[in-house]
Amino acid sequence: MAASCLALLLPPLLLLLLLLLLLGAEAAWKRRSRGRAAPHVAVVVLGDVGRSPRMQYHALSLASHGFFVTLLGYCDSKPHDELLQNEKIQIVSLTELKRFAVGPHILQYGVKVVFQAVHLMWKLMWRQPAAYIFLQNPPGLPAIAVCWFVGCLCGSKLVIDWHNYGYSIMALVHGPSHPLVLLAKWYEKLFGRLSYLNLCVTKAMQEDLAENWGIRAVTVYDKPASFFRETPLDVQHQLFVKLGRTYPAFRACSESSDPAVERSAFTQRDLQSGLVTRPRGRPALLVSSTSWTEDEDFSILLAALEKFEQLLLNGESLPPLVCVITGSADLGVSLHTSSSGLDLPMKVVDMFGCCLPVCAASFRCLHELVKHEENGLVFRDAEELAAQLQMLFFKFPDPAGKLSLFRKNLQGSEPLCWEESWRHTVLPLLVDT
């Protein structure tokens, strides 16, 4: 059944691909013969643009330095407002094949890859020729090969931004010896070497690409965008009051006896002076964002919270703890461990941008971002995380405690934001435009 379905589907798909190549080559030749246009860059994400902050930042940085940018990807969630309002950035929506469910999974996957290749090639061919094609990897199958081929036809230089290895993510589901995983690794290694320029997110990945893949890459660390900053207390109060209308955990434990005071669980505002303060005995607020992927074990946090609750019931001097998935908080938790051990959690970058201390799950290159006992703590299991929560929240809020110290260290560090870092590391590499 699978073989017959594949036999029926492949000929028309290959014919369509050949037709696209002929038409695209003709169009590319005509565009190139007209002379060089204004500098243009295509930024490609074979995923949701709104959940790809690093590629959005690339687009914004390119636009701020005079490039016209076409950002291609799936438009499932809303990108940053800065991106939508920038006149030099055009977002082109890619179509995702979601409902093809004929035959076994291997056939479905094959058809999806062929469709993505044809569709992406079509979208790239019929746009203004780009000086560079910036591509996020993963996912790189089939995008690396398609972008390289289009670059050959249109004279574009392929820039791969290595966030991780696609095969390592597949291995979490199928196992490292699965034929699809081995094929994906061979594909990434082969086509990754054909790029003009390679960027990566850690020095550990830079070394791994050089030693095991024969690829020279430039490390461009994730940095918080300029709009990530510590939230003013009055804005926090507005948010908590708003959330309290829907979620009881954000409401004050009891109604205020003073009608001139507006209270939430974490803040209170004098309605006459407008002054916002934090009340004594307030709960602590813990935040942990997640992508719900295989390399994030949320059971570690849940087990640690159960141990924390037991300590509270045993009479320890600890505050009630409210845990949310996003928002202003006293402490952040990262459970990301990386399928390859070579990338860093973007959530921690953003938390540090807001001067939020972090407890982070340990893995190979985490030290490049989280400095243990300086801007946060590193844990290996639920027992260690529970002990850290107990230590950080003992006699909370304590101005002389470790939590306050970590926050002060972050406030005083003044690290480079994304735009400054990009200008120093990436811009000098784009020498031909």
Side-chain angles (χ1 to χ4, degrees), residues 169-191:
I169 297 175
M170 293 177 68
L172 293 175
V173 179
H174 302 292
S177 59
H178 192 279
L180 270 180
V181 175
L182 297 176
L183 177 64
K185 183 176 182 179
W186 170 84
Y187 164 87
E188 260 182 311
K189 194 170 185 177
L190 172 66
F191 283 95

Side-chain angles (χ1 to χ4, degrees), residues 144-259:
I144 300 178
V146 171
C147 291
W148 168 78
F149 185 74
V150 170
C152 291
L153 290 176
C154 302
S156 307
K157 295 175 179 177
L158 176 59
V159 180
I160 301 178
D161 192 9
W162 298 81
H163 297 194
N164 202 342
Y165 297 144
Y167 82 88
S168 70
I169 297 175
M170 293 177 68
L172 293 175
V173 179
H174 302 292
S177 59
H178 192 279
L180 270 180
V181 175
L182 297 176
L183 177 64
K185 183 176 182 179
W186 170 84
Y187 164 87
E188 260 182 311
K189 194 170 185 177
L190 172 66
F191 283 95
R193 292 172 175 171
L194 300 177
S195 59
Y196 168 77
L197 177 65
N198 291 277
L199 310 175
C200 63
V201 294
T202 63
K203 288 184 179 178
M205 180 174 282
Q206 181 188 43
E207 293 169 0
D208 189 76
L209 283 168
E211 294 174 8
N212 300 318
W213 295 57
I215 294 174
R216 295 179 61 185
V218 176
T219 301
V220 182
Y221 283 116
D222 284 318
K223 299 288 183 181
S226 57
F227 43 77
F228 279 101
R229 51 187 176 272
E230 193 170 6
T231 308
L233 192 57
D234 59 330
V235 178
Q236 290 186 38
H237 177 74
Q238 294 172 20
L239 175 64
F240 294 147
V241 169
K242 181 179 179 181
L243 290 172
R245 299 183 189 122
T246 306
Y247 304 103
F250 289 88
R251 299 173 194 159
C253 296
S254 59
E255 292 295 327
S256 174
S257 58
D258 187 351

Side-chain angles (χ1 to χ4, degrees), residues 6 53-54 59 67-68 117 171 210 224 236 250 271 304 311 316-317 353 357 415 424:
L6 190 60
R54 184 175 167 100
F67 292 91
F68 291 95
Q236 290 186 38
F250 289 88
L271 296 177
L311 290 168
E316 290 281 346
S317 182
H424 290 307

Side-chain angles (χ1 to χ4, degrees), residues 53 57 60 80 82 222-229 346 349-350 353-354 416-419:
Y57 300 164
L60 287 167
H80 291 297
E82 283 189 42
D222 284 318
K223 299 288 183 181
S226 57
F227 43 77
F228 279 101
R229 51 187 176 272
M346 188 70 185
V349 175
D350 295 340
C354 299
L416 288 177
C417 68
W418 168 269
E419 175 56 30

Side-chain angles (χ1 to χ4, degrees), residues 72-151:
L72 300 95
Y74 303 134
C75 297
D76 298 328
S77 55
K78 183 184 175 185
H80 291 297
D81 288 335
E82 283 189 42
L83 200 80
L84 298 173
Q85 295 164 6
N86 196 305
E87 295 180 353
K88 289 188 175 181
I89 300 176
Q90 179 189 17
I91 299 177
V92 175
S93 177
L94 297 178
T95 301
E96 188 172 8
L97 188 64
K98 293 182 177 180
R99 298 184 180 180
F100 183 81
V102 177
H105 290 299
I106 188 69
L107 174 64
Q108 296 176 27
Y109 184 73
V111 171
K112 180 180 179 180
V113 168
V114 173
F115 173 82
Q116 287 176 326
V118 172
H119 183 60
L120 178 59
M121 189 177 298
W122 173 270
K123 290 287 189 180
L124 285 170
M125 286 288 207
W126 292 95
R127 312 221 74 78
Q128 176 189 354
Y132 296 93
I133 299 176
F134 272 63
L135 172 65
Q136 172 183 301
N137 182 62
L141 182 65
I144 300 178
V146 171
C147 291
W148 168 78
F149 185 74
V150 170

